[in-house]
Amino acid sequence: MENKIFRNFLGEKGLKPTKERIAVLSEVFSFHGHFEPEYLYLRIKNAGSKASRASVYRTLSLLVDCGLVKKVTRTEKGNIYEHTYGHSHHDHMICDACGEIIEFYSEKLENLQDEICSENSFAGSSHTLEIRGHCKKCRTKQS
Amino acid sequence: MENKIFRNFLGEKGLKPTKERIAVLSEVFSFHGHFEPEYLYLRIKNAGSKASRASVYRTLSLLVDCGLVKKVTRTEKGNIYEHTYGHSHHDHMICDACGEIIEFYSEKLENLQDEICSENSFAGSSHTLEIRGHCKKCRTKQS
DNA sequence: CTGAAACTGAGATTGAATTGCAATTTAACT
DNA sequence: AGTTAAATTGCAATTCAATCTCAGTTTCAG
Ligand SMILES: [Mn+2]
Ligand SMILES: [Mn+2]
Ligand SMILES: [Zn+2]
Ligand SMILES: [Zn+2]
């Protein structure tokens, strides 16, 4: 489980599993979905643990490094993260009319991307595909 | 041509085609490829025109609004743009080590996306695919 | 021409993220 | 348990792209 993985990762790097780091780890895995560092910081505080903003940022980096967490996007505001351990990869379709988000996954699509990476001698490690348009509901509503 | 399009866009909004705005427009279309606002600012200066950083940022927003320019991605540093008018659709691979951006286009990939949209009764109108990883150069350098 | 509205540049401000550093904590080894 | 070096922390200072403020300037419809 994630605790084990993180402690292992820290051990290998000569880093220590301090309460602050563990508090961040626990909080990150205490809920599902996307989050901003500040939101995480507040949740930790609210949960009765303590970790400064600096520690939250620093630990978040470590979690990304060890693969438990992923930086989803950089928005105008700041970065958005999500924990990935225990979740499978998917991409998104977003309806420009109602904002609905449809998640999808296609093995074929993933393979095709790998092919394209090879063709370009690129070692792809992650990707973000966002398809924009109109969902069924909004399309029928329009007629 | 882009000049006409931009002036039209400005007119419709009650905005004025000032020398600064036109200088930014011209510079944006004076070369092909990706660029950061600061780089554009320096190019404009170097070209003998004048436009403050503030105007460059402000005009860049307008150009995006009117569809002549697109925000390609957001890096640790800042935004990266490209002019789209006169260019056909393509997606990007971005090297996490050196920042190089590789453009690619795959008919198969586009078709596959259309298929996936159909399967989800979604009318896709645009998409952004960004593959992150390491380019050939950075990968060999590492060994 | 004229005047109201739009625009500009310089510098101030914002805010997420990073960093310097003195004090504190950790844990390996007696 | 006690010692100690290395790691870690929090706070405040800093960074830096991006945005905003606002007084002076420019544009252009009438
Ligand atoms: Mn999702
Ligand atoms: Mn491109
Ligand atoms: Zn919809
Ligand atoms: Zn590279």
Side-chain angles (χ1 to χ4, degrees):
Chain A
M1 125 259 229
E2 65 268 11
N3 213 290
K4 189 82 182 166
I5 295 175
F6 191 39
R7 283 168 188 278
N8 241 46
F9 172 82
L10 292 174
E12 282 170 13
K13 294 229 164 190
L15 305 178
K16 300 172 178 175
T18 62
K19 356 182 188 335
E20 287 83 0
R21 283 175 181 157
I22 299 304
V24 173
L25 174 71
S26 306
E27 204 54 40
V28 164
F29 280 90
S30 73
F31 66 99
H32 299 281
H34 304 147
F35 64 90
E36 296 164 34
E38 178 67 13
Y39 172 72
L40 184 62
Y41 167 71
L42 293 175
R43 272 188 71 107
I44 291 169
K45 201 168 206 175
N46 202 57
S49 310
K50 72 165 189 87
S52 65
R53 254 175 268 264
S55 285
V56 170
Y57 277 105
R58 288 189 279 231
T59 305
L60 227 28
S61 273
L62 291 174
L63 290 171
V64 169
D65 287 349
C66 86
L68 289 170
V69 168
K70 186 181 148 198
K71 190 180 284 182
V72 176
T73 312
R74 287 170 253 260
T75 68
E76 341 289 320
K77 290 294 199 141
N79 293 324
I80 292 182
Y81 296 84
E82 71 183 359
H83 67 243
T84 48
Y85 183 70
H87 290 267
S88 54
H89 168 71
H90 59 259
D91 291 299
H92 300 108
M93 292 180 201
I94 304 177
C95 177
D96 284 328
C98 69
E100 196 197 348
I101 297 181
I102 301 171
E103 301 187 338
F104 68 90
Y105 174 79
S106 159
E107 194 70 39
K108 261 204 250 177
L109 191 76
E110 302 290 321
N111 292 337
L112 190 46
Q113 285 183 48
D114 287 346
E115 254 178 61
I116 295 170
C117 283
S118 298
E119 283 167 17
N120 288 273
S121 304
F122 191 82
S125 57
S126 72
H127 70 257
T128 312
L129 170 58
E130 185 180 301
I131 301 178
R132 298 208 151 251
H134 292 273
C135 72
K136 186 174 190 177
K137 208 187 309 172
C138 292
R139 208 140 34 90
T140 52
K141 189 185 301 172
Q142 190 178 15
S143 46
Chain B
M1 125 267 226
E2 64 267 11
N3 213 288
K4 188 85 183 165
I5 295 174
F6 191 40
R7 283 169 188 278
N8 242 46
F9 172 83
L10 292 175
E12 282 169 14
K13 295 232 162 188
L15 305 178
K16 298 173 179 174
T18 62
K19 357 183 188 339
E20 288 82 1
R21 284 175 179 159
I22 299 306
V24 172
L25 173 71
S26 305
E27 203 55 39
V28 164
F29 280 89
S30 72
F31 66 98
H32 298 284
H34 308 123
F35 63 90
E36 296 164 34
E38 178 68 14
Y39 172 72
L40 184 62
Y41 166 71
L42 293 175
R43 272 188 70 110
I44 289 168
K45 200 169 207 175
N46 202 56
S49 310
K50 75 170 187 81
S52 65
R53 256 175 267 262
S55 285
V56 169
Y57 277 104
R58 289 189 279 231
T59 305
L60 226 27
S61 273
L62 291 174
L63 289 171
V64 169
D65 287 349
C66 85
L68 289 170
V69 168
K70 189 180 147 198
K71 190 180 287 183
V72 174
T73 191
R74 187 177 194 85
T75 68
E76 339 284 321
K77 295 297 230 177
N79 291 325
I80 292 181
Y81 296 84
E82 71 184 0
H83 66 244
T84 47
Y85 183 71
H87 288 266
S88 51
H89 168 72
H90 58 263
D91 291 300
H92 299 107
M93 293 179 202
I94 303 178
C95 178
D96 285 327
C98 70
E100 196 199 346
I101 299 180
I102 300 170
E103 301 186 336
F104 68 89
Y105 175 79
S106 158
E107 194 71 40
K108 261 203 248 177
L109 192 75
E110 302 290 322
N111 292 336
L112 190 46
Q113 285 184 47
D114 288 345
E115 256 177 59
I116 295 171
C117 283
S118 296
E119 283 167 17
N120 288 274
S121 304
F122 191 82
S125 57
S126 72
H127 71 258
T128 313
L129 171 58
E130 184 180 305
I131 302 178
R132 297 212 150 243
H134 292 273
C135 72
K136 187 175 191 176
K137 211 188 304 174
C138 292
R139 209 142 32 91
T140 52
K141 190 185 297 171
Q142 190 177 15
S143 47

